[in-house]
Amino acid sequence: MASALRCIKFSYRFLNINHGPTQTNIISQHGPWCVYGRAPTHAHTHTLTHAHTPTRLVTTTACWLPLSPTHAHTRSLDTHTLHTHTRSLDTHTLHTHTRSLDTHTHSVHAHTRSVHAHNRSLNAHTRSLHTHTRSLHTHTRSLHTTLPTHKLVPFILADIGEGIKEVIIKEWYVNEGDTVAQFDSLCEVQSDKASVTITSRYDGVVRNMHYSVDDTALVGKPLVDIEVSKEDDSVGEEVQEGEAISVGRPVEEAVMESDTFTLPKGKILTTPAVRRMATQHKIALHEVVGSGKDGRILKEDLLLFLEHGKPTTTKPTTTTTTPPSRVPPTHTHTGVGAPVGGVPPVPPPVVVKVLGQDRKEVIKGFKKAMVKSMSLAMQVPHFGYCDEIDVTRLVEVKASLRAVGEAAGIPRMSLLPIFIKAASLALTHFPVLNASVDDKCENITYKASHNIGVAMDTKDGLVVPNIKGVQGLSVVEVAGELIRLHQAGLKATLTTHDITGGTFTLSNIGSIGGTYAKPVILPPEVAIGAIGKIQVLPRYDSVGEVSKAHIMQVSWSADHRVIDGATMARFSNLWKAYIENPVTMMMYMK
Amino acid sequence: MLSLKKLSTNLLRNCGPLGAVSTSLYGSTSQPSPSRPRATEPPKRVVFISQSTDVFSNLAFEDWLYKNWSFEKRSILFLWRNSPCVVIGRHQNPLVEANIPYLESAGVPVARRGSGGGAVYHDHGNLNCTFFTARERYDRRQNLELICNVLNHDFGIQARANSRDDIVVGHDNKVSGTAAKLGRTSAYHHCTLLVRTDRQQLRLALQGDKTIQIKATHSVSSPVANLGDIGGKDMTVEKLLASLGRTYLTEQEQDPRLANGFTLVNPTDDWFPGLGKIEADLRSGEWIEGKTPRFTIRRSVSLPPCLAGTSASANITVQAYHGVVEEVRLEDGLMACEELTDLVLDISTSLKGTPYTPGIFCDISNRLRVPQPLHTQRSFL
């Protein structure tokens, strides 16, 4: 016993142990380490308490018995603890025991909303428990192990619809402790005149009914907590379990921990899996910004951190030195307007991991939607028409364009709004290009409004919001809309209204690079244009002399079922005329 | 909130691939969508007309459809009429909503339906419509607009749906009340339409006992009008029924020949297995009285001389839950003599668990009169 006590003390050398009264052993908080109080030979209940919060939890070590809970919600934890620690300690499988602690602390986390730091410390504490329980080896011979199986999931009251924010609970069909299956009725709520039956989303046991009959329940808040079995993967997205801690290798893990683990400066919320990943990659967790609930560090945050190589507190918005792949085409200061002439391409400062072996991934979500949309698009017979535009005159007046833009509240005005407005002016003469065909190409609708879509490259890939009614907007207004859509795209707040209803699309791929392209039409539109980058090239001018010209390529694609080459060519010529000679555009501006 | 996956699938169907791309990229849209997007393939529409005028059979059929039918491919309009009855909402108190003594004496049944909302009086001049759809397609306004369109076009009545989802004509005279029930996969919205209802009977039937304190749903009473009075002599329930059914079927520009048309249904257990059980449940006291939320009634009971102290009567409160007495309390207990307090406590114990009836105060009054020794015997019965 004495040796056991010494072992405990040894592993807690970083910490203060308060040998206060048994019931409330204080745990000092130096980051992730927690202290257990007394040695296990005392057959009294043992509690983990945080120095700052009075919540009690029950430990899971050998012969300790659960304390009768002071909080109603720790009651359920009791049975688990008792369950686990009477069964989970075996000489050979101490680590599954600690894993049970992990689970409990996770479930408690879900439970006790206010005691995050406490629970977090318990999460991390599983590692300390390795050494701890190893030392208790001799005391736990008689107990067996089972894997822990439960976690507590809050069942959120889903939106009833019709903008209803709160409902009255009229009747409960279950009681606390009842076992429910998925789709079993839980309760009946009433909103205005609708009586709604709420059914369970999970299989499990009902715990914690947050409302009683005739209470007002809020939509979006938990209605009940359901204790589900851990094997249910679809449950509890905020609680991420680590991989199984390997059995029988406590020494290495402990050593690894003490070598590489730095005591963080503040409280850091993560899961054990993330911590392990952090140590593997030698990341100091306090430098990583957590994006999970309550600032929790998720795996994605670590990956992001690895990519950028240094801590970032804000998302990169518009910086001049970001790699090309990050700059959306609408920001032309790095794209259109930047002369090329011999400047080598800037390699992106992304740490590219070389794939050691083939990696297979299921295409789902966004990628799948892209696959679907492009497959649909390829059923349309495209034809291409390309041309070269001399934008020298526009580039010459770019400075004054910028000035007027600034005065109107548009920072860094680019040429793209002008291209968009010119396209709209040309579309008034060629309404067939602003049309829409149905699936079977039986009807063509000539759209009145020019909703010109602008392809944007965001960190998640391609998205095409559109500017509505360009025929009625001035260039400044178009520029303002562009900026708004770009900002929304960066913040991922684009609405369905922004995304849908487009009639014509322009893609400014030149801001990234390239000259000629072969863009793919976005159904149900019938035409699309891709604008290349502006290059300074030698051209013959009107007097036969070679001079510097700013040349930009444009590549149009159109649906050959309804558009013919001549129409496209004439449209392109008209657009070209507007762009090459801005005065013409001004004269014909509507 | 629709799960993200469901929202994306819906948008994929309706707004094309890009809609879905954006949604899956950016999560659910920033503003809550007030109505869910319609599927590109509108479900076929069917009209059922009930052959029965028994309120319990019809309500049972409604419930049967709701539980047993899948509305993915078909939406249903169920049109039904009842002989005189009162139908109260799921969470209402029949005593508060309906004049139970009068109805009992007149032999008019009181039924409790499965949807929320208030109490209504049905008779042969009233048409009930129930719109069954899949959960995602639930849209009350759309249904009410269909009815208003029918009234406007076919009968020349300027009707509109107000903010409480009642259909009103003229100066806010109510001609229809609405209620709904939503489940996991199916939903229904039903409403009444007063064509030639006996308004006097309606008023008498719905005069409940307002002295009862409850947390249950209160009915909001409004002045009512008959459509038949406004639409002219030749407006009948049958004509309205035909118009509604026809409009419902042809509204989505489907070829009417493709629509399944009108179907007459006879809501019996032979045709719809399981209906009998639902009907029996609906008739049972367990459902009608047993679903009453907690309520309390306070009455003044006259005391016999031996118990009367400063006043000749006492305020007794009876509290009942789910139709069963929970507690009998003496209000202003401090003023009463000890005998009275004890007596009331004994009465409470003996009456606890018994079904609540309106005659309970008589019973209490009688018990108070019984001399002490006999009473104590009774309390253990």
Side-chain angles (χ1 to χ4, degrees), chain A residues 159 170-171 188 195 197 492 496, chain B residues 1 26 29 90 180-182:
Chain A
D159 186 18
K170 284 296 177 182
E171 194 174 335
E188 189 96 358
S195 180
T197 311
T496 321
Chain B
M1 174 161 45
Y26 298 115
T29 54
R90 171 75 174 80
K181 183 149 173 70
L182 290 91

